[in-house]
């Protein structure tokens, strides 16, 4: 099967880059934003933020009807500007942060999987990124 083109999603966060980075990498924050809709939640997150370090999170429907683990390994960590990692299924993901005038632009590029429609994957990952922006923007500066 041919490799699918990577998908790019973006958001802006009204916080300085250091706050955005900390909120992205800290399990105590990850559990508060890492889901695409209010019907879902992230009851557990672990993160060993070093090249070769592993991360994992549990995503579950709030009604208990379904859930899955998402995990992988960091390839490159360049705090507070860039993360590159791969998921356990081999797909690659990159995250870039750029601050301008106290607003941080996040660009995330990920390789889609082949079992779900591209639009569903793009919309789901974008919803999580939007949830991150909303959560992080309301934190104290």
């Amino acid at each position: 099967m041919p490799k699918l083109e990577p998908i790019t999603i973006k958001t802006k966060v009204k916080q300085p880059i250091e706050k955005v980075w900390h909120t992205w990498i800290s399990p105590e924050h990850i559990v508060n934003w890492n889901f695409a809709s209010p019907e879902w939640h992230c009851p557990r997150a672990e993160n060993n933020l070093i090249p070769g370090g592993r991360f994992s999170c549990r995503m579950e429907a709030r009604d208990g009807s379904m859930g899955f683990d998402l995990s992988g390994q960091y390839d490159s960590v360049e705090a507070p500007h860039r993360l590159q990692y791969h998921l356990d299924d081999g797909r690659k993901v990159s995250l870039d942060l750029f601050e301008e005038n106290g607003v941080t632009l996040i660009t995330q590029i990920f390789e889609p999987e082949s079992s779900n429609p591209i639009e569903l994957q793009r919309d789901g990952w974008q919803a999580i990124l939007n949830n991150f922006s909303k959560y992080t923007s309301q934190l104290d500066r």
Side-chain angles (χ1 to χ4, degrees):
M1 176 180 283
K3 195 169 194 177
L4 299 170
E5 287 296 313
I7 297 172
T8 300
I9 56 175
K10 297 180 180 186
T11 196
K12 290 182 180 178
V13 182
K14 294 178 182 176
Q15 291 282 7
I17 195 169
E18 291 82 9
K19 175 72 98 177
V20 172
W21 179 266
H22 176 74
T23 306
W24 188 271
I25 66 169
S26 302
E28 66 269 19
H29 287 294
I30 294 169
V31 297
N32 292 305
W33 60 261
N34 193 27
F35 43 90
S37 71
E39 296 80 28
W40 284 74
H41 68 136
C42 179
R44 176 184 52 76
E46 299 173 11
N47 196 19
N48 183 15
L49 188 70
I50 59 170
R54 294 199 44 81
F55 63 88
S56 69
C57 62
R58 178 74 183 164
M59 299 167 127
E60 293 181 353
R62 290 191 187 271
D63 67 6
S65 62
M66 60 179 17
F68 61 93
D69 293 314
L70 184 69
S71 57
Q73 183 173 340
Y74 290 106
D75 300 313
S76 175
V77 177
E78 301 170 34
H81 298 283
R82 184 158 226 239
L83 286 175
Q84 291 179 301
Y85 58 93
H86 62 275
L87 301 172
D88 285 341
D89 64 8
R91 293 182 295 137
K92 294 181 180 179
V93 182
S94 67
L95 180 83
D96 289 290
L97 289 78
F98 175 78
E99 182 183 349
E100 186 172 340
N101 300 323
V103 175
T104 302
L105 172 65
I106 300 173
T107 302
Q108 190 172 35
I109 301 171
F110 67 96
E111 295 177 345
E113 40 90 3
S114 58
S115 59
N116 287 296
I118 295 296
E119 299 78 21
L120 180 68
Q121 294 178 69
R122 182 187 58 241
D123 293 350
W125 282 62
Q126 184 67 57
I128 293 170
L129 197 57
N130 292 345
N131 202 31
F132 171 81
S133 178
K134 181 180 175 185
Y135 171 77
T136 306
S137 291
Q138 67 188 7
L139 296 174
D140 290 337
R141 285 186 171 247

